[in-house]
Amino acid sequence: MADIEVPIFIVGGSLVGLSTAMLLGHHDVRSLAVEYHHGTAIHPRAAQTSQRTMEIFRQVGLEQIVRQKSEEQYVQDGGVLAVETLVGGPIAHYIADLNEGVRDVSPTARVFLSQDALEPQLRKRAEELGAELRFATEMVSLEQDAHGVGAVIRERDSGQTQTVRAQYMVAADGARSRVRERLGIRMLGHGTFSKSITIYFRAHLAPIVEGQKWSVVYVLNPQLSGFFRFEKPFDKAFLGVFTVGNPEHPVMDVSTGLTEQRSLELVRTALGTDRIPITIENVMHWEASANMAERLQDGRVFLAGDAAHVMPPNGGFGGNTGVQDAHNLAWKLALVLKGVAGPALLSTYGPERHPVGAFTVEQAYSRYVLRTAPNMSGDGLQPLAPDLNIEMGYVYHSDAIVAEHTPEDHNDSRVHENPRESKGRPGTRAPHVWLQRRGEQISTLDLFGRNFSLLVGPDGNAWTEAARDRSDMLDIDLDVHKIGENGLTDPSGGFPAAYGITPTGAALVRPDGFVAWRAKTGDGASAGRIKSALATLLRQPIR
Ligand SMILES: Cc1cc2nc3c(=O)[nH]c(=O)nc-3n(C[C@H](O)[C@H](O)[C@H](O)COP(=O)(O)OP(=O)(O)OC[C@H]3O[C@@H](n4cnc5c(N)ncnc54)[C@H](O)[C@@H]3O)c2cc1C
């Protein structure tokens, strides 16, 4: 018998490992996460947090604290722009205002919050929800059989080892994932194209930056290509450097042989002045790569986050994509562990997340090339898709979706679209509509999170009655929300159209807020139809 028995074992306790532990806790699933480092992130790294990630945080009660921490740390709605040197001012604006043109699609908004400030919040919430997190602890070996996963973990300070036995494992162990390596899963894509650095420095930058809506500032000049990120009160910042030298023929290895003096020179060059005193605090070395794991599952082990996909930071997609992996996986693991869903539900993780990961990697790569490495442009560069599609409009095609084989969407295999156009089609994120519940404004998204939810139009009595006929239903918790019942109202009257149904129709939404099935009208409403949809989705025989 193992020293520790736990349903889910997570390797890696950074952004994605902590998110996985938190989201499993939200579904009342116990997990153990081990993290090699002594605590949460010490470097800022990821900061751009998408609306989708904020929606996920909203589900677990983290939205407000994340927003508050962001207000302390960053100018709100800051932009993404380019300069030759900082003092020279903008030469291009990629995003003038972080939330311009996207506020209508979500009850929440994009923010910047650095990983070193976010991770303590994820840790706290994960622990509140019952996750066990062990820092300064590494996984040293792994094996799996038909019934579970076995691992050996070692406390780094004492050297003491323990055995762990779990039903499933999530590998959130980063770009150099040892789990992935041991499973022999290859990374495919563009490979590594630069040995980059991030220089953390202190300098009194307020006279240049204060009052500007600048959060990410790309620097492109004949000496270097990189980007600044500024935190309030503008006495410290970081400069990421991708390449040095003429961008047409750059040196792609910035990292080898780097000295503090050279770091100082790079910061001064990017600032465009040597009049500002600078103190270098730290330099982080990392590789810019764009690769996707060839598969995301091996038996009972699932890859998530950078273990599954690595991409350059351009666009700010990497960490967000990892949080979405965790969100996709958590409810599936929970329902399988509870015996409500068949194990085959877990096999939908790869088909849903792999195409989305691969597409996002390509989009980050295109942004890297177009914004920072013009020497790499050439054939085969994926055209830029709007950020909103990447963040909110990704589409799932799998057996956990009851696709509508109508003439328009038969064989529709698109991976992304404008979330305003999906209109509740199965496989897309359930749209946000402002509703009222007993006089309080809520989003449709606030109705989802733990269970499957049936959203019913104002004249959809036939569906509510069918859903409440528990005698004929599977052993599953189904939340039923009908407009006009229990104080739930739709003041704008926009709910049915937003979900592509008539007022007599209904939409079935998964715990991760994706539409799984819908009936456009009340014709033929019956418990049997809901049951049949659920059985298909849950990969369960109808009993
Ligand atoms: C400069 C920079 C800026 C970025 N900006 C953004 C941004 O704005 N937005 C965004 O979304 N993304 C951004 N990213 C990307 C983002 O940082 C990563 O995608 C994210 O950190 C991945 O999280 P992860 O948990 O999957 O992996 P990691 O953060 O790499 O964490 C993996 C963890 O696993 C641990 N580990 C590994 N092996 C073991 C083992 N055997 N036992 C125990 N522990 C182990 C490691 O110690 C590590 O802490 C940026 C990246 C960089 C470099």
Side-chain angles (χ1 to χ4, degrees):
M1 195 172 141
D3 299 322
I4 304 167
E5 298 211 348
V6 67
I8 308 291
F9 177 50
I10 302 165
V11 188
S14 184
L15 181 58
V16 176
L18 292 172
S19 297
T20 308
M22 177 180 76
L23 291 163
L24 285 167
H26 178 68
H27 287 288
D28 299 323
V29 174
R30 249 178 357 105
S31 66
L32 165 68
V34 293
E35 166 53 49
Y36 178 86
H37 291 115
H38 280 80
T40 50
I42 53 167
H43 293 305
R45 284 195 294 166
Q48 192 169 331
T49 308
S50 72
Q51 277 172 306
R52 186 62 190 147
T53 299
M54 288 298 279
E55 289 176 357
I56 294 168
F57 290 165
R58 182 179 170 102
Q59 251 180 25
V60 295
L62 267 191
E63 184 196 8
Q64 286 314 321
I65 185 75
V66 167
R67 193 187 292 274
Q68 180 195 320
K69 294 280 169 197
S70 166
E71 281 166 11
E72 289 167 16
Q73 206 177 33
Y74 282 96
V75 170
Q76 296 302 287
D77 299 326
V80 181
L81 56 136
V83 298
E84 272 183 29
T85 65
L86 193 70
V87 294
I91 53 171
H93 285 272
Y94 303 123
I95 301 176
D97 166 329
L98 192 64
N99 284 293
E100 193 176 281
V102 301
R103 289 183 176 85
D104 61 304
V105 294
S106 174
T108 183
R110 295 167 172 161
V111 298
F112 281 100
L113 180 63
S114 300
Q115 231 169 299
D116 54 348
L118 171 61
E119 286 191 13
Q121 301 305 326
L122 296 174
R123 174 182 184 168
K124 183 165 169 273
R125 193 73 189 113
E127 286 177 335
E128 283 167 4
L129 292 168
E132 185 181 351
L133 310 174
R134 293 198 189 186
F135 290 86
T137 304
E138 67 178 322
M139 188 208 72
V140 289
S141 75
L142 146 77
E143 57 180 26
Q144 64 168 323
D145 55 41
H147 307 289
V149 181
V152 175
I153 59 173
R154 179 171 61 208
E155 274 179 32
R156 287 176 60 212
D157 295 337
S158 65
Q160 194 196 336
T161 59
Q162 285 186 299
T163 53
V164 179
R165 181 83 184 158
Q167 279 159 279
Y168 296 97
M169 172 195 274
V170 180
D173 54 345
R176 294 167 190 267
S177 170
R178 271 194 273 161
V179 174
R180 187 185 68 220
E181 206 177 281
R182 271 175 216 187
L183 296 173
I185 300 177
R186 291 177 304 160
M187 292 299 271
L188 305 175
H190 300 276
T192 295
F193 29 86
S194 100
K195 287 192 165 182
S196 304
I197 54 166
T198 308
I199 306 168
Y200 298 97
F201 64 95
R202 286 199 164 269
H204 182 52
L205 297 172
I208 310 176
V209 178
E210 199 163 27
Q212 307 283 7
K213 278 196 158 191
W214 296 351
S215 291
V216 177
V217 177
Y218 283 90
V219 182
L220 192 61
N221 65 39
Q223 282 82 43
L224 68 87
S225 148
F227 68 108
F228 281 114
R229 222 170 50 205
F230 302 108
E231 288 182 17
K232 292 200 288 196
F234 313 114
D235 57 358
K236 64 177 183 176
F238 80 56
L239 174 69
V241 184
F242 298 118
T243 63
V244 288
N246 181 346
E248 298 298 329
H249 312 282
V251 176
M252 308 295 276
D253 181 354
V254 189
S255 160
T256 309
L258 186 82
T259 60
E260 183 162 337
Q261 182 57 32
R262 177 70 177 137
S263 297
L264 258 179
E265 280 168 25
L266 290 169
V267 174
R268 286 193 180 124
T269 303
L271 289 175
T273 172
D274 52 11
R275 294 215 183 124
I276 302 173
I278 296 162
T279 311
I280 303 291
E281 291 211 308
N282 208 331
V283 178
M284 189 182 137
H285 298 248
W286 52 279
E287 294 183 340
S289 318
N291 295 316
M292 181 75 208
E294 59 187 334
R295 59 200 156 85
L296 301 186
Q297 181 182 1
D298 186 287
R300 291 172 169 264
V301 183
F302 301 88
L303 305 183
D306 277 18
H309 34 68
V310 282
M311 58 192 90
N314 312 67
F317 302 134
N320 288 298
T321 312
V323 174
Q324 291 154 18
D325 293 339
H327 194 233
N328 183 288
L329 193 52
W331 70 273
K332 294 177 181 174
L333 285 168
L335 289 186
V336 171
L337 287 171
K338 286 173 193 159
V340 173
L345 178 64
L346 296 170
S347 307
T348 64
Y349 172 67
E352 292 190 352
R353 292 303 304 165
H354 192 283
V356 175
F359 162 65
T360 311
V361 166
E362 287 305 320
Q363 287 293 315
Y365 179 72
S366 293
R367 281 163 177 71
Y368 176 86
V369 172
L370 296 172
R371 291 181 187 171
T372 66
N375 64 306
M376 287 166 62
S377 341
D379 296 341
L381 203 62
Q382 201 177 81
L384 293 186
D387 286 12
L388 184 64
N389 294 26
I390 300 166
E391 295 174 2
M392 307 275 277
Y394 50 93
V395 183
Y396 292 153
H397 306 273
S398 83
D399 291 339
I401 301 291
V402 183
E404 288 173 355
H405 294 302
T406 57
E408 315 90 74
D409 57 19
H410 189 51
N411 286 334
D412 179 356
S413 57
R414 78 186 109 165
V415 182
H416 70 94
E417 66 189 341
N418 185 322
R420 295 184 189 90
E421 287 163 13
S422 58
K423 300 269 185 263
R425 200 176 71 253
T428 62
R429 166 185 158 279
H432 152 67
V433 179
W434 286 121
L435 303 176
Q436 292 232 332
R437 189 164 50 191
R438 291 177 209 96
E440 183 202 346
Q441 187 181 55
I442 62 162
S443 165
T444 39
L445 274 57
D446 297 329
L447 301 171
F448 322 136
R450 273 206 179 77
N451 302 323
F452 273 88
S453 308
L454 190 73
L455 301 194
V456 183
D459 301 327
N461 291 342
W463 283 115
T464 39
E465 275 161 33
R468 286 181 182 134
D469 178 4
R470 302 302 302 174
S471 59
D472 200 25
M473 205 56 73
L474 294 171
D475 185 17
I476 183 166
D477 293 320
L478 176 66
D479 298 336
V480 181
H481 302 284
K482 178 179 171 291
I483 303 295
E485 257 186 32
N486 297 322
L488 190 67
T489 58
D490 173 21
S492 73
F495 164 74
Y499 278 72
I501 58 174
T502 67
T504 60
L508 183 65
V509 179
R510 311 191 315 188
D512 62 353
F514 272 70
V515 180
W517 166 85
R518 71 181 165 181
K520 291 183 180 171
T521 69
D523 295 347
S526 71
R529 276 184 70 196
I530 303 174
K531 180 179 174 181
S532 156
L534 282 169
T536 308
L537 301 168
L538 296 171
R539 321 302 303 142
Q540 246 202 18
I542 299 183
R543 287 173 294 202

